[in-house]
Amino acid sequence: KELAPGEKQELTLTFSLTDMASYDEEKSAYVLEQGDYLVRMGSCSDNTEVCGVVRLDQDVVAYQVKPICPGWDFEDLKPDAAVRNDERAVAAGCDAVSDVKVITIHGTDVKTLSASYRGEPKELAAGEAVSWQEVKAGTKSVDEFLAGLSVEQTAALCVGNYSEGDIQSVIGNACAKVAGGAGETTRHLDSLGLDTLSMADGPAGLRLSKEYKLVGGAAKSSDSALDGVFRDLMDEEQMKMMAAMMPQPSEEELKATVYHQYCIAIPIGTGLAQSFNTELCEVCGDIVGEEMEMFGVNLWLAPALNIQRSPLCGRNFEYYSEDPLISGKIAAAITRGVQRHKGCGTTIKHYAANNQETNRYASNSILSERALREIYLKGFEICVKESAPEAVMTSYNLINGEHTCNSYDLLTSVLRDEWGYEGVVMTDWYVTSDMMRGQASVHPFGSAAGCVKAGNHLSMAGMKSDVEDILKALEDESHPYHLTKAQLQDTARVVLKSVLRLAV
């Protein structure tokens, strides 16, 4: 509580013993090593005192997993023997401190947990067409709805909504219900009554158009369709080409009434993290969630919690910390605030190891499995386990040579099997297309079929070529991401369950 001058309060702080485990690549396990663990308290990392020692009498495997994301070929930096001996000397000297308690734990008392990984999904038997209203009413199941779909309809579920030949569906006006929305789930199943989910970007609140018109029953932004992120992603020649392709406004649009909408700005990510105040962060999330309800937004494409690895990263203001614990706790608090509101969810991003902004679309993050698990994935793990965000967005970059959106290890083995995540996973915008190929790269762009195979449920913002790639992967066994119908259904099922939860 807030203390008056001279007042005291005794607090009890707890944490799980297994939080002290480190990842052992040779054992593919999180291991508690035999020895003394120093518990420190202080005002900052440079001003601490040892307040207790936990002594473990033998090595213990705390959590057994499997190796992920191969492809790194360097040896991690290790402290020399002198540094390790100094650390042992500090630990050994704790017995001489009379007011420091030493707690001995026997390794045999620590239970070893093991991750359980799923097998291949089973294909649903073909069924009759089912309306979405029957599913919402509870008279039909999601699987019965899914069994009645064609492969083309099922593939459309795994791709964001798009309009063939309409460049504005790519650049601006990507959401019919929300002016300035970033995207939405498919409308290609409207004949079956399937609802759509509307998405809006962040990070410091909702990013929507300030001015819009209602044209043909849809909200259409009056702001420049070329403003925002695409200016940074395209070179001058691409911008000119895109501007030339933009359709001219119709007479109906020219005469339509202009409406205005404004959103509240919350503090930037780093500012929120510096407060160390999770209650405050929940309030900020609550503000965003209330506006999501007001504007009809289902998924907020935030918060972002990548590690602030370099001061040169142009997006550090949006991220929280160089510490994954702080990152995960703050993101979880904001998510809890947003998801108090029915039909509203966060989309934590960019999963994972997105360490730069310049040319992030074509960069390859090369890192060891231990660094990946202990630093770059840990914040996401904390957020997933503490707040169950409705969505996760994969990053543009590759990890050890494979696009994150096409990584089964990241999206299924770790996210779903090891952490128990049940929400939807989407790509960042257009990672499965060549729209931004003006940036030189030795790496190919991602594959929508690869997304389905890996457990990335939505290729966003959605293009016809994404559906074509998925359908080709179903037919062609030589496709690098050859798919079975069962795998496609398994991915589409997650999208349908998300729509059922959020489209209220």
Side-chain angles (χ1 to χ4, degrees), residues 386-397:
E386 294 191 2
S387 66
E390 283 288 345
V392 172
M393 181 188 291
T394 52
S395 51
Y396 279 127
N397 59 282

Side-chain angles (χ1 to χ4, degrees), residues 310-374:
S310 165
L312 299 180
C313 177
R315 207 167 185 170
N316 274 348
F317 70 94
E318 186 174 342
Y319 304 146
Y320 298 122
S321 175
E322 61 188 7
D323 183 338
L325 176 65
I326 297 172
S327 300
K329 292 285 187 180
I330 298 297
I334 292 173
T335 294
R336 288 193 296 271
V338 168
Q339 295 186 174
R340 287 182 192 145
H341 298 266
K342 192 173 182 180
C344 300
T346 64
T347 307
I348 62 173
K349 62 183 187 182
H350 305 90
Y351 183 75
N354 180 69
N355 299 324
Q356 65 185 58
E357 195 64 13
T358 302
N359 198 33
R360 65 187 175 126
Y361 182 82
S363 66
N364 181 23
S365 301
I366 302 174
L367 66 163
S368 69
E369 185 183 358
R370 181 177 181 184
L372 179 61
R373 284 184 175 276
E374 291 190 357

